[in-house]
Amino acid sequence: MRAKYVSAGVALLLAQHVSAQLSCSQETFAGVSLPRGEILSVVTELNNTLPAQQTVNTWPIFSNTTTLTCKVTIQHTHPGWNDTVTSYVWLPSEEWNGRFVGVGGGGWAGGRVDGLGYHVARGYAAVTTDGGHAFEVADDLEVWAHTSKGNINWYGIQNFAAVALDDATTLGKAVVEAFYGSGPDFSYWTGCSTGGRQGLMLAQRYPEQYDGILATCPAINWDRFLPAMFWPPFAMSQLDYYPPPCELEAITKAAVEACDAQDGLEDGVVAWPGDCDFDATTVVGQRITCENNSTRVISDKGAQLANMFWKGPVSEEGVSEWYGLYPSAPMLGTALTVCSSETECEPAPFSITTDWIQFFLLQDPEADLSSLTHEEFSRFLRMSTNRYSSVIGTSDVNLKDFKRAGGKIISWHGADDELIPFLGTAQYYRRVLEADPNAADFFRFFSVPGVQHCAGGEGWFPGDALDSLVDWVENGNAPDILVGRPRESIEGEGREAPVCQYPKKLRYLGGDPDVVSSFECQ
Ligand SMILES: *[C@@H]1O[C@H](CO)[C@@H](O)[C@H](O)[C@H]1NC(C)=O
Ligand SMILES: *[C@@H]1O[C@H](CO)[C@@H](O)[C@H](O)[C@H]1NC(C)=O
Ligand SMILES: *[C@@H]1O[C@H](CO)[C@@H](O)[C@H](O)[C@H]1NC(C)=O
Ligand SMILES: *[C@@H]1O[C@H](CO)[C@@H](O)[C@H](O)[C@H]1NC(C)=O
Ligand SMILES: *[C@@H]1O[C@H](CO)[C@@H](O)[C@H](O)[C@H]1NC(C)=O
């Protein structure tokens, strides 16, 4: 097995080996192929620039770095699908640590090239894919969602959901082998949101590809939560009330104040949001300050909207159809309005939920969603599940093949996620445990108080989770907790707290509130 951390001497040998026999040129990769795929092009570039990173799941890094890197871009198609998938593989040319990492995307983007450099600078060979639609057009559903007017691009959605991930991984490993002379010792996935969903899709559908998967705030249950995300704008139209952002912000603030102390520590972080039964009607009439220093009071309809928001979508009969967000999560991710004056506000729904309903459910980009009936709204959830659950739902709990292959999964979800309900991921994990009571032997899920969607919030961000995963896979050290710190502090400054394995809850015991030993997971 290759040394995990290549010593200076070995690095020199490896570098010599690379420059003597393997070069960052098209010929090196001429033998790279893909079962069921046809390579269209291979472009290589030896370059020492790793641009400033937009990292997920790790501490943010703000500066550009340099590491001599072979950047390989491969395009392929699946004959008959009329598709083009692009995979980006970056190879550190001097100090490869023997590991390979797949980097997930976000929203409609299948991957992120600017997420590769962080890992390359740490010695990993890294891959990401555009998922079958170029990054520049990922958010432009007109370009790729349909093959012709109203007709779903089924191959395109299959690529985005699953197939391109498998392909990029297979290609990435082949590129690694061609360049270094042997394949990776260990392979990891890291991604948040769409990238988190991709990680769990890989475990579910391609269980041999990765030894370790870090899947955070995962956009699993895609067929459920995406139409459900239209519930807040729908509720506004039902109430015929479009509150200015300040009103919902004030209600969230009141909820946080009411529930903050439950965990034993008043610090602006609600560590037990599941126990926060805040009723927004209790703050009706409270005076608040809004945009341009105007003042108003929290209205009865604003409070009703907040209560509907937290409850989540219900059918016409009042039966729950999906989860709401926790009261400590910002409401403006999915209940945003844009106001031209103190009294005139319009809904500004999150674009991906309207994309989903218009392009994939109604197959009509022009469809008007501003005054739906309750029956129409509820029907979206049924249509979505019926058509897409097996395509992109990513909620299969049978992970037997992944377990058998020896894989490990770490997942975490920010309790204050303002887009994807924490409770959907918690439900998935409970279902995994029901299917396999010993699942914690290979899959651990952590709840992260005070952290929003992938980042943000006042809570404790577990920025070392990838290192914990590597330690679990390579040394057998299963993590009981993750260590969280405010994300914007650089690599370890400031307050620390344990991030607990679900369903354990973080409790403050006393003492210095900035150190792990002052808390317990109960
Ligand atoms: C090196 O790579 C960076 C990032 O991919 C790119 O912006 C830059 O143009 C490349 N430099 C050269 C000399 O090709
Ligand atoms: C990183 O480098 C690019 C040019 O390659 C430059 O535009 C950018 O400002 C740099 N960012 C930082 C944070 O240094
Ligand atoms: C293949 O896709 C391109 C656009 O990407 C389109 O112009 C062309 O008509 C398609 N060909 C077939 C046979 O569908
Ligand atoms: C709001 O009031 C504060 C303090 O009175 C003042 O500093 C600020 O400029 C005002 N903002 C606007 C938009 O009027
Ligand atoms: C705040 O004031 C600006 C400048 O007068 C105006 O354009 C904007 O519409 C105002 N916002 C609201 C919500 O009234």
Side-chain angles (χ1 to χ4, degrees):
M1 185 185 294
R2 193 182 331 279
K4 272 165 213 133
Y5 294 99
V6 179
S7 71
V10 176
L12 192 62
L13 280 176
L14 188 58
Q16 282 166 352
H17 182 59
V18 167
S19 54
Q21 285 182 24
L22 306 161
S23 64
C24 186
S25 67
Q26 273 178 306
E27 291 117 69
T28 302
F29 307 106
V32 169
S33 66
L34 187 68
R36 299 184 298 277
E38 186 183 312
I39 307 293
L40 299 173
S41 68
V42 178
V43 175
T44 62
E45 178 194 320
L46 189 65
N47 175 312
N48 71 358
T49 308
L50 300 176
Q53 308 298 315
Q54 190 195 347
T55 57
V56 296
N57 292 345
T58 60
W59 307 109
I61 59 170
F62 298 103
S63 54
N64 297 327
T65 37
T66 55
T67 296
L68 192 61
T69 303
C70 180
K71 300 175 181 176
V72 186
T73 304
I74 303 185
Q75 293 202 309
H76 75 276
T77 187
H78 302 95
W81 287 22
N82 195 26
D83 60 341
T84 305
V85 183
T86 309
S87 304
Y88 302 83
V89 194
W90 286 14
L91 308 158
S93 79
E94 279 157 13
E95 293 193 45
W96 183 41
N97 63 17
R99 302 189 184 101
F100 173 78
V101 63
V103 175
W108 290 117
R112 56 177 80 231
V113 177
D114 67 3
L116 297 176
Y118 176 90
H119 301 285
V120 172
R122 283 159 180 73
Y124 290 73
V127 69
T128 200
T129 172
D130 72 355
H133 48 257
F135 297 121
E136 308 83 74
V137 300
D139 291 335
D140 190 350
L141 282 278
E142 295 276 356
V143 174
W144 68 268
H146 294 167
T147 50
S148 61
K149 195 172 172 9
N151 289 303
I152 303 293
N153 178 3
W154 285 106
Y155 293 127
I157 190 76
Q158 290 279 7
N159 266 332
F160 173 69
V163 176
L165 309 171
D166 183 42
D167 290 350
T169 306
T170 301
L171 287 172
K173 289 180 179 178
V175 162
V176 162
E177 180 151 13
F179 190 66
Y180 300 111
S182 66
D185 297 324
F186 297 103
S187 300
Y188 298 93
W189 178 267
T190 177
C192 188
S193 193
T194 278
R197 184 196 65 72
Q198 292 170 325
L200 290 169
M201 176 60 90
L202 285 155
Q204 292 164 19
R205 198 165 296 180
Y206 310 107
E208 277 93 31
Q209 289 284 37
Y210 288 95
D211 303 299
I213 290 174
L214 176 58
T216 69
C217 301
I220 55 170
N221 306 302
W222 180 279
D223 55 306
R224 304 301 295 172
F225 89 79
L226 261 194
M229 211 186 238
F230 201 76
W231 174 247
F234 170 71
M236 289 182 201
S237 67
Q238 290 286 89
L239 293 166
D240 192 24
Y241 182 64
Y242 303 88
C246 57
E247 187 172 356
L248 297 182
E249 279 175 332
I251 293 173
T252 300
K253 191 160 170 274
V256 169
E257 278 164 12
C259 299
D260 187 355
Q262 285 175 339
D263 52 51
L265 188 61
E266 269 186 78
D267 58 352
V269 177
V270 179
W272 296 3
D275 295 303
C276 183
D277 291 322
F278 183 72
D279 178 356
T281 60
T282 59
V283 289
V284 169
Q286 194 180 93
R287 205 143 197 89
I288 57 174
T289 303
C290 289
E291 205 178 320
N292 296 340
N293 289 338
S294 64
T295 58
R296 60 191 287 137
V297 293
I298 293 175
S299 66
D300 186 47
K301 282 190 173 178
Q304 283 180 48
L305 179 70
N307 284 347
M308 287 170 82
F309 180 100
W310 295 327
K311 187 169 183 193
V314 294
S315 67
E316 302 100 293
E317 297 79 26
V319 177
S320 170
E321 298 190 302
W322 194 244
Y323 301 99
L325 303 183
Y326 275 145
S328 49
M331 285 191 258
L332 300 184
T334 58
L336 189 64
T337 58
V338 174
C339 306
S340 53
S341 73
E342 280 172 43
T343 49
E344 283 163 279
C345 300
E346 284 180 11
F350 189 64
S351 62
I352 298 180
T353 182
T354 49
D355 287 345
W356 184 250
I357 294 168
Q358 291 176 323
F359 284 89
F360 287 97
L361 302 184
L362 299 175
Q363 298 169 238
D364 174 7
E366 306 295 320
D368 178 12
L369 306 180
S370 63
S371 52
L372 300 168
T373 65
H374 203 145
E375 189 185 326
E376 284 168 327
F377 171 79
S378 287
R379 181 141 188 253
F380 291 159
L381 283 115
R382 294 190 288 278
M383 289 165 81
S384 186
T385 296
N386 180 274
R387 296 183 194 183
Y388 296 100
S389 134
S390 76
V391 176
I392 194 170
T394 323
S395 53
D396 188 352
V397 293
N398 193 334
L399 299 169
K400 205 169 190 171
D401 296 311
F402 183 77
K403 181 182 187 177
R404 188 172 288 148
K408 304 283 185 281
I409 302 171
I410 290 179
S411 180
W412 60 255
H413 203 123
D416 289 353
D417 193 319
E418 74 280 20
L419 296 177
I420 302 178
F422 170 89
L423 289 168
T425 306
Q427 182 230 43
Y428 175 74
Y429 191 65
R430 284 198 310 273
R431 289 172 51 232
V432 166
L433 288 173
E434 277 161 28
D436 175 359
N438 297 319
D441 292 349
F442 73 97
F443 182 178
R444 296 192 174 190
F445 172 57
F446 298 84
S447 62
V448 191
V451 168
Q452 299 171 5
H453 189 61
C454 300
E458 300 294 313
W460 299 276
F461 177 83
D464 298 320
L466 184 58
D467 294 338
S468 300
L469 179 65
V470 169
D471 193 34
W472 191 8
V473 167
E474 298 181 18
N475 307 316
N477 297 322
D480 291 322
I481 60 160
L482 301 175
V483 175
R485 303 183 193 105
R487 184 163 188 267
E488 303 317 321
S489 70
I490 302 298
E491 313 243 1
E493 304 271 310
R495 307 157 55 213
E496 258 184 25
V499 168
C500 300
Q501 224 177 304
Y502 178 85
K504 286 185 182 163
K505 299 194 287 194
L506 181 71
R507 181 173 182 82
Y508 174 63
L509 297 171
D512 183 349
D514 293 344
V515 299
V516 170
S517 58
S518 300
F519 296 86
E520 69 169 359
C521 292
Q522 68 168 33

